[in-house]
């Protein structure tokens, strides 16, 4: 116990002053909807582009297929809402 308490005393006396003079700039563009993720490059030119693709599905699947699937699911949901 004496070793631990003496170590704490030593650490208490040390004060660190860290200063950072460099500024970090990012070369890649960030998404508007999810600012901590990179901007998806395959969504350009599509209507309603909000730059929202957090899983990166547009990098692996053709955008035409994804668009058709979105339309199909939207129409099914509209029918389901009617009953």
């Amino acid at each position: 116990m004496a070793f631990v308490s003496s170590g704490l005393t030593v650490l208490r006396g040390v004060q660190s002053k860290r200063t950072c003079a460099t500024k970090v700039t990012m070369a890649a563009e960030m998404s508007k909807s999810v600012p901590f993720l990179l901007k998806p490059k395959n969504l350009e030119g599509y209507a309603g582009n909000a730059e929202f693709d957090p899983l990166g599905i547009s990098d692996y699947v053709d955008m035409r297929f994804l668009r058709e699937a979105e339309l199909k699911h939207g129409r099914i949901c509209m029918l389901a809402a009617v009953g």
Side-chain angles (χ1 to χ4, degrees), residues 3-76:
F3 177 71
V4 174
S5 64
S6 66
L8 292 176
T9 308
V10 172
L11 290 177
R12 229 181 279 158
V14 177
Q15 293 182 5
S16 68
K17 294 181 181 179
R18 294 183 182 180
T19 58
C20 183
T22 60
K23 185 177 180 182
V24 177
T25 57
M26 301 215 32
E29 290 186 53
M30 303 307 278
S31 174
K32 293 177 188 174
S33 60
V34 187
F36 55 87
L37 294 177
L38 295 176
K39 179 180 175 182
K41 57 185 172 271
N42 294 335
L43 300 180
E44 291 296 323
Y46 285 96
N49 180 12
E51 299 176 358
F52 184 77
D53 188 15
L55 300 177
I57 295 173
S58 65
D59 293 337
Y60 304 107
V61 181
D62 186 28
M63 280 300 296
R64 293 176 292 185
F65 175 78
L66 293 173
R67 183 172 179 255
E68 285 294 322
E70 186 70 24
L71 289 171
K72 178 182 172 184
H73 291 121
R75 290 175 182 156
I76 290 172

